[in-house]
Amino acid sequence: MIIGVPKEIKTLENRVSLQPGGVLQLKKKGHEVLIEKGAGLGSGFTDEMYKKSGATIVDDVEEVWKRAEMIMKVKEPIKEEYPRMREGQIIFTYFHFAASRELTEAVQESKCIAIAYETVEKSDGSLPLLVPMSEVAGRMAAQEGAKYLEKTFGGRGVLMGGIPGVRPANVIVLGGGIVGVNAARIAAGMGANTTILDINTNRLRYLDEILPKNIDTQFSTEGAIRNLLPTTDLIIGAVLIPGAKAPNLISRDMLKLMRPGTVMVDVAIDQGGCFETSKATTHDDPIYEVDDVVHYCVANMPGAVPYTSTMGLTNVTLPYAAQIATKGWKKALDDDPELKMGLNIADGKIVYKYVADAFDMEYTPVEEVM
Ligand SMILES: NC(=O)c1ccc[n+]([C@@H]2O[C@H](COP(=O)([O-])OP(=O)(O)OC[C@H]3O[C@@H](n4cnc5c(N)ncnc54)[C@H](O)[C@@H]3O)[C@@H](O)[C@H]2O)c1
């Protein structure tokens, strides 16, 4: 199969959907890989590195889309890319259709085969192509929080690990899922007293067994959060209710319980945020203050570390891409129920119920397009 990798053109997106090692693996299976000139530069991969792995470097993005039977991307196609999608072409990328009716209609019109990273799902309900980005965002949340606790950024001027004779920072992490655990590990690794709050007692039991001793667990209630706020330096919001807006765990009036210079990092901002005062920010202007509390609410945190994010993402997407390229999409999806969950739209028909429901559009059972 001919696989095309265009350069990502969404603002400040530096990731790329395939790294040179991935090209090598696809070539070994007999596939041809077209890389748009400069597509990997933002993640540190030169055209030369791709060429050495056997890719063909293509100057013209239109040619990549025209020749490729499967397009691999990172972000959803943007307006400029809509006319390039075509009938029967497989597009394997993050789509997040429910966030955009316009994108959903454009993909329907094109009649391409849209397989979305974010809905590939294992039998236990986990989402393997979202996990690495949650790991990145969680680890970054503690790192960014530590930075904004510095006085120059408006923080309390507290060092995460303290020093001998001076107490370390107190960190609370709301939500003990993938983001939360990764955030807590880094915060605790820096020496901070860290508490994870979650509403799932089984999860708290598990975390209590596996996490280091300077991480406490606590059942999450509004009362518990209110009690912790007066002595907390850094709050990391990492909750998720699948398919719904994030719950609001810190209301505006609760900011008054905090000391000036407390930092709040809202990782859940991509689902609307879990603090009442959160509004999405970008990497070039990441923080703002409300009532002397520093807010960091960047919606695409992994974009700041494109090398790590690209490597993490391609580690998990490549095996699925190889299956699709080798078997064709129908057989690959038939053989692998996890991958089948990724099919959102095919031949103009919406086959993922949640997307159809989001816009009150017609839903077609996936079997009808296979
Ligand atoms: N900003 C970014 O760049 C970025 C990147 C990756 C993920 N995210 C977001 O981070 C959030 C967390 O993702 P995840 O992968 O860790 O999800 P996850 O499903 O692994 O974990 C979410 C946890 O939140 C807990 N929870 C739900 N309601 C709660 C409540 N009221 N109080 C306390 N805990 C509660 C759940 O029990 C679960 O353990 C999601 O909104 C995700 O979209 C953001």
Side-chain angles (χ1 to χ4, degrees):
M1 186 180 276
I2 303 176
I3 299 155
V5 175
K7 184 172 162 50
E8 294 300 320
I9 52 176
K10 198 166 176 176
T11 322
L12 292 173
E13 180 54 67
N14 284 299
R15 287 173 293 177
V16 60
S17 60
L18 197 61
Q19 42 102 348
V23 173
L24 202 64
Q25 286 198 38
L26 291 170
K27 286 289 291 185
K28 274 193 185 151
K29 291 185 191 295
H31 306 299
E32 188 179 347
V33 182
L34 311 176
I35 305 275
E36 185 187 346
K37 190 170 179 231
L41 286 178
S43 295
F45 305 120
T46 62
D47 292 343
E48 220 27 62
M49 290 158 90
Y50 281 110
K51 250 194 243 167
K52 271 193 194 143
S53 303
T56 307
I57 306 297
V58 178
D59 280 350
D60 181 12
V61 62
E62 300 289 349
E63 191 188 330
V64 175
W65 282 83
K66 213 167 274 166
R67 286 179 57 196
E69 295 163 272
M70 170 162 68
I71 289 286
M72 282 185 77
K73 275 179 56 59
V74 178
K75 296 303 283 185
E76 73 281 358
I78 62 172
K79 228 181 206 151
E80 203 178 321
E81 294 171 313
Y82 293 171
R84 298 179 187 147
M85 306 185 286
R86 62 178 157 75
E87 188 167 352
Q89 183 174 53
I90 303 159
I91 305 182
F92 190 36
T93 190
Y94 286 122
F95 277 103
H96 295 289
F97 280 116
S100 170
R101 187 183 186 107
E102 187 189 90
L103 172 70
T104 306
E105 287 174 349
V107 168
Q108 279 185 293
E109 246 168 64
S110 76
K111 297 202 164 166
C112 71
I113 312 300
I115 306 174
Y117 292 165
E118 70 274 9
T119 65
V120 171
E121 186 176 329
K122 293 196 180 227
S123 55
D124 64 1
S126 63
L127 306 168
L129 305 191
L130 280 180
V131 167
M133 296 307 105
S134 285
E135 291 168 337
V136 169
R139 289 179 183 217
M140 250 187 88
Q143 187 174 309
E144 295 299 294
K147 178 163 92 194
Y148 292 112
L149 272 175
E150 292 173 20
K151 196 73 187 165
T152 30
F153 296 113
R156 286 196 69 229
V158 173
L159 187 63
M160 289 284 268
I163 53 165
V166 182
R167 289 180 56 80
N170 292 323
V171 176
I172 65 173
V173 180
L174 304 174
I178 294 161
V179 169
V181 165
N182 280 278
R185 272 192 192 282
I186 298 298
M190 289 168 124
N193 286 325
T194 306
T195 304
I196 295 185
L197 294 99
D198 204 298
I199 46 171
N200 179 340
T201 37
N202 283 334
R203 180 74 183 166
L204 289 174
R205 211 164 272 136
Y206 168 72
L207 295 178
D208 185 65
E209 271 173 28
I210 61 149
L211 288 174
K213 279 293 148 224
N214 61 339
I215 303 181
D216 297 321
T217 57
Q218 195 168 345
F219 190 78
S220 179
T221 62
E222 187 181 327
I225 297 171
R226 279 182 181 271
N227 281 341
L228 288 167
L229 292 181
T231 52
T232 294
D233 299 293
L234 168 62
I235 302 154
I236 295 174
V239 295
L240 177 68
I241 299 176
K245 194 202 159 293
N248 199 344
L249 300 185
I250 298 195
S251 56
R252 169 123 201 197
D253 73 294
M254 288 162 83
L255 299 191
K256 291 194 186 69
L257 300 172
M258 302 177 199
R259 294 169 295 188
T262 299
V263 175
M264 303 211 294
V265 175
D266 196 344
V267 186
I269 188 68
D270 62 335
Q271 302 292 331
C274 59
F275 311 139
E276 187 183 353
T277 42
S278 293
K279 59 175 194 303
T281 58
T282 53
H283 288 295
D284 47 4
D285 192 12
I287 56 165
Y288 60 93
E289 284 183 29
V290 179
D291 295 347
D292 292 328
V293 172
V294 180
H295 291 56
Y296 173 101
C297 306
V298 174
N300 66 329
M301 294 174 70
V305 286
Y307 174 78
T308 306
S309 301
T310 290
M311 295 302 279
L313 179 65
T314 58
N315 284 345
V316 291
T317 53
L318 185 65
Y320 293 111
Q323 281 188 56
I324 299 169
T326 304
K327 299 178 179 175
W329 70 272
K330 284 191 180 170
K331 172 114 181 64
L333 268 56
D334 237 355
D335 287 354
D336 185 346
E338 293 174 13
L339 186 55
K340 198 173 185 178
M341 291 295 291
L343 188 64
N344 278 224
I345 301 179
D347 197 21
K349 302 186 175 81
I350 302 179
V351 298
Y352 197 80
K353 186 133 189 359
Y354 176 62
V355 174
D357 289 352
F359 303 118
D360 220 358
M361 287 175 165
E362 192 184 336
Y363 162 72
T364 306
V366 68
E367 286 67 30
E368 288 184 26
V369 298
M370 298 286 290

